[in-house]
Amino acid sequence: MVENVLIEVKNLSKHFTMASGLFRQETAKRLKAVDNVSFTIGKGETLGLVGESGCGKTTVGRCILQLHKPTGGEVLFQGKDLCRISGKELRPLRQKFQIIFQDPSESLNPRFTAADAIGEPLRIHNTVYGHAYQERIAELLNLVGLAPYMAERYPHEFSGGQRQRLGIARALAMNPSFIVCDEPVSALDVSIQAQIINLLDDLQRQFGIAYLFIAHDLSVVRHISHRVAVMYLGKIVELCDRDELYKNPLHPYTKALLSAVPIPDPKVEATRAPIVLKGEIPSPLNPPAGCVFHPRCPSAFAPCPTVAPVYRDAGDGHSVSCLLYPTSRT
């Protein structure tokens, strides 16, 4: 049970209407990008969200921030449902939750200097003025490991890692309590990835910020997360404490993901047999009946093609959606 809950997501769904055919006149279909997802994030906690590309991870983060309006469910921030309030009520709350985008080159306006990019939230919300504004820009640059004299540089004058630091500084401008980190290191070199992860870790300890850390690299997620949720085709199939997940994965999909993570010891690595998933990820426009993972699952058995598993507690805060675990382990 998560204490001091900051974000509570209940039965969150996001469906997109997809028209097809010549002149888009054929019957529209529903793409279930996110389907009945629930989890909580505590104050100062990092929840890692992992899964293959296209599974709905980024859509979950954007729905929490109301960048996408959810089709159904609730997103409670400090007890207030963000899906049920007006834009006027939402605007002041936006100061408390921010996002760090995947590609720093695309998320920064090339016509803005570093000071303009970092200071944009301050200008929009009218929080500081004059000399205090300049001091805040310098303070934010220092926080993310950049020199204040860089404030007048443009994005193309920074390296990829420095641009991501600018994105982090911009996210910190309004002193948020929650940040969605949307694959913030996937576009960076491995050595730079470690620096950015350590920076995020230091900022969390300093300011008590909660993160939803979206990634597909399980080794990165293990380093920064307190708990980890695994997504497949719009659904969370497993969620538990970080160490528990890596020590005792339950869902066959989680086991396959973990088996693909290399181990630095070549002797140990040579003894491992990676789990190879057959076939392609089904289309969310036409998901399989029963368990959505069953066409690729090496452990599938008779009920899987017809019976949809229930997402349930398997004991000790370890939740899983799989017919192999029909009852609690407690």
Side-chain angles (χ1 to χ4, degrees):
M1 184 68 180
V2 177
E3 297 181 359
N4 298 319
V5 172
L6 179 69
I7 297 282
E8 185 173 7
V9 176
K10 295 182 178 180
N11 305 316
L12 181 69
S13 295
K14 178 59 181 177
H15 302 168
F16 294 96
T17 301
M18 308 292 289
S20 61
L22 186 63
F23 304 118
R24 304 177 70 83
Q25 291 179 347
E26 291 185 12
T27 304
K29 296 182 179 180
R30 303 281 280 179
L31 187 152
K32 296 182 178 180
V34 178
D35 191 16
N36 202 33
V37 164
S38 299
F39 58 83
T40 57
I41 303 175
K43 295 178 180 178
E45 181 192 24
T46 299
L47 176 67
L49 187 60
V50 301
E52 293 169 290
S53 296
C55 71
K57 307 184 299 295
T58 294
T59 304
V60 168
R62 287 175 175 268
C63 284
I64 292 174
L65 301 180
Q66 303 301 296
L67 299 178
H68 289 323
K69 206 66 179 175
T71 305
E74 299 175 305
V75 178
L76 303 178
F77 177 75
Q78 297 178 331
K80 183 172 290 189
D81 187 359
L82 302 181
C83 305
R84 305 288 184 271
I85 61 177
S86 66
K88 185 177 180 180
E89 293 174 292
L90 183 62
R91 183 181 174 88
L93 289 176
R94 287 196 181 278
Q95 299 180 40
K96 295 301 180 183
F97 46 84
Q98 297 292 322
I99 185 170
I100 300 168
F101 294 99
Q102 177 178 355
D103 188 344
S105 300
E106 295 294 328
S107 63
L108 294 170
N109 190 326
R111 296 177 180 233
F112 278 14
T113 64
D116 292 335
I118 296 172
E120 187 174 21
L122 302 174
R123 296 192 301 273
I124 289 173
H125 291 281
N126 297 316
T127 54
V128 293
Y129 310 91
H131 187 61
Y133 174 85
Q134 300 299 330
E135 288 184 341
R136 180 60 175 159
I137 298 296
E139 178 188 7
L140 289 165
L141 286 168
N142 276 319
L143 274 175
V144 298
L146 297 175
Y149 71 80
M150 296 179 174
E152 298 309 313
R153 292 184 180 179
Y154 289 89
H156 71 273
E157 299 179 89
F158 292 91
S159 67
Q162 289 175 329
R163 283 195 289 266
Q164 194 58 290
R165 289 174 187 268
L166 287 179
I168 294 171
R170 180 175 57 186
L172 291 172
M174 301 307 299
N175 297 313
S177 53
F178 173 67
I179 297 177
V180 172
C181 304
D182 185 10
E183 302 201 38
V185 297
S186 63
L188 306 176
D189 293 338
V190 173
S191 60
I192 306 302
Q193 287 183 10
Q195 294 176 21
I196 297 299
I197 292 298
N198 290 334
L199 172 61
L200 290 171
D201 205 20
D202 292 342
L203 292 171
Q204 184 174 60
R205 286 198 297 268
Q206 185 174 352
F207 299 109
I209 305 169
Y211 297 138
L212 176 67
F213 192 91
I214 298 168
H216 58 266
D217 187 336
L218 282 145
S219 58
V220 170
V221 171
R222 183 173 191 173
H223 181 80
I224 195 171
S225 301
H226 298 95
R227 291 183 302 137
V228 179
V230 181
M231 279 194 78
Y232 183 80
L233 210 65
K235 298 177 181 289
I236 289 183
V237 296
E238 188 164 3
L239 191 157
C240 64
D241 177 78
R242 170 194 62 191
D243 294 333
E244 170 72 6
L245 184 86
Y246 286 82
K247 180 176 66 175
N248 183 36
L250 297 181
H251 199 281
Y253 178 60
T254 308
K255 294 178 182 179
L257 291 179
L258 290 173
S259 76
V261 178
I263 294 176
D265 189 332
K267 293 182 179 179
V268 176
E269 182 66 21
T271 64
R272 300 171 71 225
I275 300 171
V276 179
L277 298 178
K278 298 179 181 179
E280 298 293 329
I281 303 175
S283 170
L285 281 170
N286 186 28
C291 173
V292 294
F293 185 57
H294 85 262
R296 306 175 70 201
C297 181
S299 303
F301 63 116
C304 296
T306 55
V307 180
V310 176
Y311 182 68
R312 67 179 75 224
D313 184 8
D316 301 323
H318 196 150
S319 299
V320 66
S321 175
C322 182
L323 295 174
L324 293 172
Y325 310 95
T327 57
S328 173
R329 294 184 294 170
T330 56

PDB file of all heavy atoms in Angstrom, residues 11 34 40 82 88 106-107 132 156 163 182 186 199 201 206 218 235 245 248 256 263 278 296 324:
ATOM      1  N   ASN A  11      -8.892   3.188 -13.245  1.00  0.00           N
ATOM      2  CA  ASN A  11      -9.586   2.690 -14.447  1.00  0.00           C
ATOM      3  C   ASN A  11      -9.427   3.644 -15.633  1.00  0.00           C
ATOM      4  O   ASN A  11     -10.391   3.904 -16.366  1.00  0.00           O
ATOM      5  CB  ASN A  11     -11.069   2.464 -14.145  1.00  0.00           C
ATOM      6  CG  ASN A  11     -11.289   1.536 -12.967  1.00  0.00           C
ATOM      7  OD1 ASN A  11     -10.632   0.508 -12.854  1.00  0.00           O
ATOM      8  ND2 ASN A  11     -12.201   1.895 -12.078  1.00  0.00           N
ATOM      9  N   VAL A  34      -5.016   3.007 -24.208  1.00  0.00           N
ATOM     10  CA  VAL A  34      -4.935   2.705 -22.772  1.00  0.00           C
ATOM     11  C   VAL A  34      -6.273   2.121 -22.365  1.00  0.00           C
ATOM     12  O   VAL A  34      -7.325   2.682 -22.690  1.00  0.00           O
ATOM     13  CB  VAL A  34      -4.616   3.969 -21.937  1.00  0.00           C
ATOM     14  CG1 VAL A  34      -4.590   3.650 -20.453  1.00  0.00           C
ATOM     15  CG2 VAL A  34      -3.309   4.597 -22.376  1.00  0.00           C
ATOM     16  N   THR A  40      -1.119   3.989  -8.273  1.00  0.00           N
ATOM     17  CA  THR A  40      -0.907   5.181  -7.450  1.00  0.00           C
ATOM     18  C   THR A  40       0.574   5.531  -7.450  1.00  0.00           C
ATOM     19  O   THR A  40       1.436   4.679  -7.699  1.00  0.00           O
ATOM     20  CB  THR A  40      -1.369   4.950  -5.995  1.00  0.00           C
ATOM     21  OG1 THR A  40      -0.660   3.819  -5.457  1.00  0.00           O
ATOM     22  CG2 THR A  40      -2.860   4.690  -5.918  1.00  0.00           C
ATOM     23  N   LEU A  82      -8.665  15.486 -11.975  1.00  0.00           N
ATOM     24  CA  LEU A  82      -8.285  16.390 -13.058  1.00  0.00           C
ATOM     25  C   LEU A  82      -9.176  16.242 -14.282  1.00  0.00           C
ATOM     26  O   LEU A  82      -9.269  17.152 -15.106  1.00  0.00           O
ATOM     27  CB  LEU A  82      -6.833  16.136 -13.458  1.00  0.00           C
ATOM     28  CG  LEU A  82      -5.778  16.286 -12.351  1.00  0.00           C
ATOM     29  CD1 LEU A  82      -4.393  16.017 -12.908  1.00  0.00           C
ATOM     30  CD2 LEU A  82      -5.838  17.672 -11.720  1.00  0.00           C
ATOM     31  N   LYS A  88     -10.214  26.441 -16.384  1.00  0.00           N
ATOM     32  CA  LYS A  88      -9.853  27.525 -15.471  1.00  0.00           C
ATOM     33  C   LYS A  88      -9.343  26.980 -14.149  1.00  0.00           C
ATOM     34  O   LYS A  88      -8.391  27.508 -13.556  1.00  0.00           O
ATOM     35  CB  LYS A  88     -11.071  28.431 -15.243  1.00  0.00           C
ATOM     36  CG  LYS A  88     -10.787  29.651 -14.408  1.00  0.00           C
ATOM     37  CD  LYS A  88     -12.024  30.534 -14.278  1.00  0.00           C
ATOM     38  CE  LYS A  88     -11.733  31.778 -13.440  1.00  0.00           C
ATOM     39  NZ  LYS A  88     -12.923  32.649 -13.312  1.00  0.00           N
ATOM     40  N   GLU A 106      13.614  18.323 -30.192  1.00  0.00           N
ATOM     41  CA  GLU A 106      12.276  18.623 -30.687  1.00  0.00           C
ATOM     42  C   GLU A 106      11.454  19.425 -29.689  1.00  0.00           C
ATOM     43  O   GLU A 106      10.511  20.125 -30.070  1.00  0.00           O
ATOM     44  CB  GLU A 106      11.542  17.329 -31.031  1.00  0.00           C
ATOM     45  CG  GLU A 106      12.146  16.541 -32.179  1.00  0.00           C
ATOM     46  CD  GLU A 106      12.050  17.279 -33.502  1.00  0.00           C
ATOM     47  OE1 GLU A 106      11.068  18.026 -33.698  1.00  0.00           O
ATOM     48  OE2 GLU A 106      12.962  17.138 -34.336  1.00  0.00           O
ATOM     49  N   SER A 107      11.765  19.312 -28.403  1.00  0.00           N
ATOM     50  CA  SER A 107      10.934  19.955 -27.383  1.00  0.00           C
ATOM     51  C   SER A 107      11.352  21.389 -27.080  1.00  0.00           C
ATOM     52  O   SER A 107      10.656  22.098 -26.352  1.00  0.00           O
ATOM     53  CB  SER A 107      10.966  19.134 -26.086  1.00  0.00           C
ATOM     54  OG  SER A 107      12.272  19.089 -25.541  1.00  0.00           O
ATOM     55  N   ALA A 132      14.393  39.361 -10.084  1.00  0.00           N
ATOM     56  CA  ALA A 132      14.079  38.039  -9.517  1.00  0.00           C
ATOM     57  C   ALA A 132      13.945  36.993 -10.618  1.00  0.00           C
ATOM     58  O   ALA A 132      14.297  35.829 -10.425  1.00  0.00           O
ATOM     59  CB  ALA A 132      12.797  38.114  -8.688  1.00  0.00           C
ATOM     60  N   HIS A 156      20.801  24.939 -30.484  1.00  0.00           N
ATOM     61  CA  HIS A 156      21.788  24.288 -31.347  1.00  0.00           C
ATOM     62  C   HIS A 156      23.216  24.458 -30.838  1.00  0.00           C
ATOM     63  O   HIS A 156      24.140  23.782 -31.312  1.00  0.00           O
ATOM     64  CB  HIS A 156      21.688  24.838 -32.782  1.00  0.00           C
ATOM     65  CG  HIS A 156      22.182  26.243 -32.943  1.00  0.00           C
ATOM     66  ND1 HIS A 156      21.372  27.346 -32.728  1.00  0.00           N
ATOM     67  CD2 HIS A 156      23.410  26.728 -33.283  1.00  0.00           C
ATOM     68  CE1 HIS A 156      22.084  28.441 -32.941  1.00  0.00           C
ATOM     69  NE2 HIS A 156      23.309  28.102 -33.286  1.00  0.00           N
ATOM     70  N   ARG A 163      20.996  19.843 -23.718  1.00  0.00           N
ATOM     71  CA  ARG A 163      19.623  20.209 -24.087  1.00  0.00           C
ATOM     72  C   ARG A 163      18.616  19.507 -23.177  1.00  0.00           C
ATOM     73  O   ARG A 163      17.597  20.098 -22.806  1.00  0.00           O
ATOM     74  CB  ARG A 163      19.363  19.862 -25.551  1.00  0.00           C
ATOM     75  CG  ARG A 163      19.966  20.843 -26.529  1.00  0.00           C
ATOM     76  CD  ARG A 163      19.407  20.688 -27.932  1.00  0.00           C
ATOM     77  NE  ARG A 163      19.866  19.458 -28.565  1.00  0.00           N
ATOM     78  CZ  ARG A 163      20.933  19.380 -29.348  1.00  0.00           C
ATOM     79  NH1 ARG A 163      21.666  20.461 -29.589  1.00  0.00           N
ATOM     80  NH2 ARG A 163      21.278  18.230 -29.902  1.00  0.00           N
ATOM     81  N   ASP A 182       9.196  11.241 -19.842  1.00  0.00           N
ATOM     82  CA  ASP A 182       8.820  10.429 -20.997  1.00  0.00           C
ATOM     83  C   ASP A 182      10.066   9.996 -21.769  1.00  0.00           C
ATOM     84  O   ASP A 182      10.525  10.684 -22.677  1.00  0.00           O
ATOM     85  CB  ASP A 182       7.874  11.226 -21.900  1.00  0.00           C
ATOM     86  CG  ASP A 182       7.337  10.387 -23.058  1.00  0.00           C
ATOM     87  OD1 ASP A 182       7.549   9.159 -23.054  1.00  0.00           O
ATOM     88  OD2 ASP A 182       6.705  10.958 -23.967  1.00  0.00           O
ATOM     89  N   SER A 186      16.486   8.103 -23.607  1.00  0.00           N
ATOM     90  CA  SER A 186      16.580   7.146 -24.717  1.00  0.00           C
ATOM     91  C   SER A 186      17.311   7.712 -25.931  1.00  0.00           C
ATOM     92  O   SER A 186      17.850   6.962 -26.738  1.00  0.00           O
ATOM     93  CB  SER A 186      15.184   6.671 -25.125  1.00  0.00           C
ATOM     94  OG  SER A 186      14.410   7.742 -25.615  1.00  0.00           O
ATOM     95  N   LEU A 199      21.201  12.954 -12.034  1.00  0.00           N
ATOM     96  CA  LEU A 199      20.667  14.293 -11.801  1.00  0.00           C
ATOM     97  C   LEU A 199      19.218  14.217 -11.326  1.00  0.00           C
ATOM     98  O   LEU A 199      18.835  14.874 -10.345  1.00  0.00           O
ATOM     99  CB  LEU A 199      20.766  15.125 -13.080  1.00  0.00           C
ATOM    100  CG  LEU A 199      20.080  16.497 -13.058  1.00  0.00           C
ATOM    101  CD1 LEU A 199      20.690  17.395 -11.990  1.00  0.00           C
ATOM    102  CD2 LEU A 199      20.140  17.161 -14.428  1.00  0.00           C
ATOM    103  N   ASP A 201      17.770  11.756  -9.888  1.00  0.00           N
ATOM    104  CA  ASP A 201      17.784  11.148  -8.555  1.00  0.00           C
ATOM    105  C   ASP A 201      18.130  12.200  -7.497  1.00  0.00           C
ATOM    106  O   ASP A 201      17.490  12.280  -6.440  1.00  0.00           O
ATOM    107  CB  ASP A 201      18.806  10.013  -8.554  1.00  0.00           C
ATOM    108  CG  ASP A 201      18.507   8.963  -7.504  1.00  0.00           C
ATOM    109  OD1 ASP A 201      17.360   8.899  -7.045  1.00  0.00           O
ATOM    110  OD2 ASP A 201      19.431   8.208  -7.145  1.00  0.00           O
ATOM    111  N   GLN A 206      16.406  16.121  -3.197  1.00  0.00           N
ATOM    112  CA  GLN A 206      16.482  17.508  -2.736  1.00  0.00           C
ATOM    113  C   GLN A 206      15.109  18.144  -2.585  1.00  0.00           C
ATOM    114  O   GLN A 206      14.864  18.890  -1.622  1.00  0.00           O
ATOM    115  CB  GLN A 206      17.334  18.324  -3.710  1.00  0.00           C
ATOM    116  CG  GLN A 206      17.579  19.765  -3.269  1.00  0.00           C
ATOM    117  CD  GLN A 206      18.539  20.478  -4.203  1.00  0.00           C
ATOM    118  OE1 GLN A 206      19.140  19.888  -5.098  1.00  0.00           O
ATOM    119  NE2 GLN A 206      18.714  21.787  -3.982  1.00  0.00           N
ATOM    120  N   LEU A 218      14.998  -1.671 -19.153  1.00  0.00           N
ATOM    121  CA  LEU A 218      14.745  -2.130 -17.792  1.00  0.00           C
ATOM    122  C   LEU A 218      15.923  -1.894 -16.855  1.00  0.00           C
ATOM    123  O   LEU A 218      15.739  -1.772 -15.645  1.00  0.00           O
ATOM    124  CB  LEU A 218      14.382  -3.615 -17.808  1.00  0.00           C
ATOM    125  CG  LEU A 218      12.940  -3.868 -18.250  1.00  0.00           C
ATOM    126  CD1 LEU A 218      12.832  -5.143 -19.052  1.00  0.00           C
ATOM    127  CD2 LEU A 218      12.026  -3.942 -17.046  1.00  0.00           C
ATOM    128  N   LYS A 235      -2.589  -2.269 -21.383  1.00  0.00           N
ATOM    129  CA  LYS A 235      -2.957  -2.740 -20.046  1.00  0.00           C
ATOM    130  C   LYS A 235      -1.714  -2.914 -19.183  1.00  0.00           C
ATOM    131  O   LYS A 235      -0.642  -3.272 -19.685  1.00  0.00           O
ATOM    132  CB  LYS A 235      -3.681  -4.087 -20.121  1.00  0.00           C
ATOM    133  CG  LYS A 235      -4.997  -4.066 -20.891  1.00  0.00           C
ATOM    134  CD  LYS A 235      -5.594  -5.470 -20.958  1.00  0.00           C
ATOM    135  CE  LYS A 235      -6.899  -5.484 -21.730  1.00  0.00           C
ATOM    136  NZ  LYS A 235      -7.982  -4.821 -20.981  1.00  0.00           N
ATOM    137  N   LEU A 245      10.307  -7.258  -8.480  1.00  0.00           N
ATOM    138  CA  LEU A 245      10.075  -7.544  -9.897  1.00  0.00           C
ATOM    139  C   LEU A 245      11.286  -8.218 -10.532  1.00  0.00           C
ATOM    140  O   LEU A 245      11.144  -9.189 -11.290  1.00  0.00           O
ATOM    141  CB  LEU A 245       9.762  -6.248 -10.652  1.00  0.00           C
ATOM    142  CG  LEU A 245       9.408  -6.455 -12.121  1.00  0.00           C
ATOM    143  CD1 LEU A 245       7.924  -6.757 -12.269  1.00  0.00           C
ATOM    144  CD2 LEU A 245       9.776  -5.252 -12.977  1.00  0.00           C
ATOM    145  N   ASN A 248      11.659 -11.774  -8.673  1.00  0.00           N
ATOM    146  CA  ASN A 248      10.574 -12.755  -8.787  1.00  0.00           C
ATOM    147  C   ASN A 248       9.493 -12.268  -9.749  1.00  0.00           C
ATOM    148  O   ASN A 248       8.365 -12.003  -9.347  1.00  0.00           O
ATOM    149  CB  ASN A 248       9.976 -13.021  -7.394  1.00  0.00           C
ATOM    150  CG  ASN A 248       8.889 -14.078  -7.428  1.00  0.00           C
ATOM    151  OD1 ASN A 248       8.973 -15.040  -8.194  1.00  0.00           O
ATOM    152  ND2 ASN A 248       7.874 -13.912  -6.598  1.00  0.00           N
ATOM    153  N   ALA A 256      10.066 -12.362 -20.083  1.00  0.00           N
ATOM    154  CA  ALA A 256      10.704 -12.227 -21.395  1.00  0.00           C
ATOM    155  C   ALA A 256      11.492 -10.922 -21.488  1.00  0.00           C
ATOM    156  O   ALA A 256      12.610 -10.895 -22.020  1.00  0.00           O
ATOM    157  CB  ALA A 256       9.649 -12.303 -22.491  1.00  0.00           C
ATOM    158  N   ILE A 263      23.632  -9.235 -18.784  1.00  0.00           N
ATOM    159  CA  ILE A 263      24.311  -9.237 -17.492  1.00  0.00           C
ATOM    160  C   ILE A 263      25.799  -8.992 -17.731  1.00  0.00           C
ATOM    161  O   ILE A 263      26.403  -9.623 -18.614  1.00  0.00           O
ATOM    162  CB  ILE A 263      24.083 -10.572 -16.755  1.00  0.00           C
ATOM    163  CG1 ILE A 263      22.595 -10.697 -16.383  1.00  0.00           C
ATOM    164  CG2 ILE A 263      24.934 -10.674 -15.499  1.00  0.00           C
ATOM    165  CD1 ILE A 263      22.231 -12.011 -15.743  1.00  0.00           C
ATOM    166  N   LYS A 278       7.413 -15.049 -29.911  1.00  0.00           N
ATOM    167  CA  LYS A 278       7.112 -15.266 -31.322  1.00  0.00           C
ATOM    168  C   LYS A 278       6.035 -14.292 -31.789  1.00  0.00           C
ATOM    169  O   LYS A 278       5.165 -13.890 -31.022  1.00  0.00           O
ATOM    170  CB  LYS A 278       6.649 -16.705 -31.543  1.00  0.00           C
ATOM    171  CG  LYS A 278       7.707 -17.744 -31.186  1.00  0.00           C
ATOM    172  CD  LYS A 278       7.189 -19.153 -31.411  1.00  0.00           C
ATOM    173  CE  LYS A 278       8.243 -20.191 -31.042  1.00  0.00           C
ATOM    174  NZ  LYS A 278       7.741 -21.575 -31.237  1.00  0.00           N
ATOM    175  N   ARG A 296       1.418 -14.673 -28.118  1.00  0.00           N
ATOM    176  CA  ARG A 296       2.883 -14.653 -28.045  1.00  0.00           C
ATOM    177  C   ARG A 296       3.418 -15.326 -26.785  1.00  0.00           C
ATOM    178  O   ARG A 296       4.635 -15.425 -26.598  1.00  0.00           O
ATOM    179  CB  ARG A 296       3.382 -13.209 -28.091  1.00  0.00           C
ATOM    180  CG  ARG A 296       2.890 -12.402 -29.269  1.00  0.00           C
ATOM    181  CD  ARG A 296       3.332 -10.955 -29.168  1.00  0.00           C
ATOM    182  NE  ARG A 296       4.745 -10.786 -29.362  1.00  0.00           N
ATOM    183  CZ  ARG A 296       5.452  -9.728 -28.936  1.00  0.00           C
ATOM    184  NH1 ARG A 296       4.839  -8.759 -28.283  1.00  0.00           N
ATOM    185  NH2 ARG A 296       6.731  -9.652 -29.145  1.00  0.00           N
ATOM    186  N   LEU A 324      -2.276 -17.697 -14.817  1.00  0.00           N
ATOM    187  CA  LEU A 324      -1.408 -18.609 -14.075  1.00  0.00           C
ATOM    188  C   LEU A 324      -1.453 -18.350 -12.577  1.00  0.00           C
ATOM    189  O   LEU A 324      -1.040 -19.195 -11.791  1.00  0.00           O
ATOM    190  CB  LEU A 324       0.034 -18.463 -14.568  1.00  0.00           C
ATOM    191  CG  LEU A 324       0.336 -18.909 -15.999  1.00  0.00           C
ATOM    192  CD1 LEU A 324       1.756 -18.507 -16.388  1.00  0.00           C
ATOM    193  CD2 LEU A 324       0.155 -20.421 -16.132  1.00  0.00           C
TER     194      LEU A 324
END
